[in-house]
Amino acid sequence: ETGVTQSPTHLIKTRGQQVTLRCSSQSGHNTVSWYQQALGQGPQFIFQYYREEENGRGNFPPRFSGLQFPNYSSELNVNALELDDSALYLCASSDRRSGETQYFGPGTRLLVL
Amino acid sequence: QQQVKQSPQSLIVQKGGIPIINCAYENTAFDYFPWYQQFPGKGPALLIAIRPDVSEKKEGRFTISFNKSAKQFSLHIMDSQPGDSATYFCAARGRVTGKLIFGQGTTLQVKP
């Protein structure tokens, strides 16, 4: 059983640029959730994907968007990057059919200059 | 709009001590309460979780106590070890949305 993987591990961008982060869900999991974790804070829910459709969204602007693919992997896209977007972006996978537990990947550390 | 409040913000105990971390929630539409452990530079790892129809759950050295009427739950770490030094987050899962709402985190240091 493979765990949740994310890429890249670190990324540096400048303000106004666009970024794509990737997540491979744990084997057998059909739901992917994305979270933003600012330094010293708890993770904040961005959105969740199930069956390739967005299934719930937190208080994040539309420039945060995502995709889920048929193999349940997912992408998080952020347009028009702002300095405050600097954070650890976490992906969590779960199996909607069997339970509530969300398993997190190691995260992608994004720095916006 | 903080729906899960966690305390204390930081905690220092001696090896063998029993640190206790507390969380309170405001919304009754939660159906699952996990605790995560996070080491620097790593993603959160599930430690233990409880459903609101259970008042206590124990797994190894970790115990969750749950008080549904008070909307509070806590994590106890028995016989704490220096390797337990990490940041701990409580969370609550929305019954309808499935999203996790996290507390602000508690940084635990266990001194040898």
Side-chain angles (χ1 to χ4, degrees):
Chain A
E1 181 183 281
T2 56
V4 179
T5 60
Q6 293 185 242
S7 63
T9 55
H10 295 83
L11 205 49
I12 300 175
K13 291 285 188 179
T14 55
R15 198 169 46 182
Q17 284 189 311
Q18 179 266 343
V19 68
T20 297
L21 311 181
R22 295 177 176 82
C23 170
S24 291
S25 60
Q26 185 166 313
S27 176
H29 286 182
N30 53 26
T31 302
V32 172
S33 304
W34 286 91
Y35 294 81
Q36 180 195 64
Q37 186 177 23
L39 205 59
Q41 302 293 318
Q44 298 288 317
F45 176 76
I46 302 175
F47 43 54
Q48 183 180 87
Y49 276 83
Y50 172 63
R51 289 186 174 177
E52 302 177 50
E53 290 192 1
E54 187 178 292
N55 182 50
R57 187 178 186 93
N59 294 326
F60 282 82
R63 59 189 185 84
F64 285 78
S65 63
L67 286 172
Q68 186 180 32
F69 301 99
N71 66 353
Y72 304 130
S73 65
S74 177
E75 286 183 356
L76 165 65
N77 298 290
V78 187
N79 294 320
L81 284 167
E82 300 178 358
L83 297 180
D84 285 348
D85 295 334
S86 296
L88 180 68
Y89 288 85
L90 296 162
C91 163
S93 76
S94 56
D95 184 349
R96 197 179 192 87
R97 295 161 295 193
S98 67
E100 316 92 335
T101 302
Q102 294 186 22
Y103 295 92
F104 283 83
T108 294
R109 174 71 65 186
L110 172 65
L111 177 62
V112 182
L113 302 176
Chain B
Q1 186 184 357
Q2 182 64 44
Q3 296 185 52
V4 178
K5 295 182 180 180
Q6 183 173 343
S7 63
Q9 187 175 4
S10 62
L11 196 50
I12 301 174
V13 300
Q14 292 294 132
K15 177 182 173 182
I18 305 176
I20 300 173
I21 304 171
N22 300 297
C23 283
Y25 61 98
E26 301 169 357
N27 190 330
T28 57
F30 294 133
D31 64 351
Y32 176 73
F33 299 86
W35 284 88
Y36 286 87
Q37 179 190 57
Q38 187 176 30
F39 292 103
K42 305 291 185 182
L46 179 69
L47 204 55
I48 186 173
I50 198 167
R51 299 200 65 167
D53 53 350
V54 176
S55 61
E56 185 176 280
K57 183 175 182 180
K58 185 178 293 187
E59 285 185 2
R61 295 185 293 110
F62 302 94
T63 299
I64 300 178
S65 298
F66 191 89
N67 186 329
K68 188 176 181 178
S69 61
K71 297 181 191 167
Q72 295 176 347
F73 57 111
S74 59
L75 175 71
H76 300 228
I77 305 176
M78 306 302 176
D79 188 27
S80 59
Q81 302 295 313
D84 296 330
S85 298
T87 300
Y88 292 81
F89 292 96
C90 63
R93 191 189 86 118
R95 184 180 297 113
V96 174
T97 64
K99 72 178 184 182
L100 290 174
I101 307 295
F102 283 83
Q104 300 94 320
T106 297
T107 301
L108 171 66
Q109 182 183 358
V110 181
K111 292 189 170 183

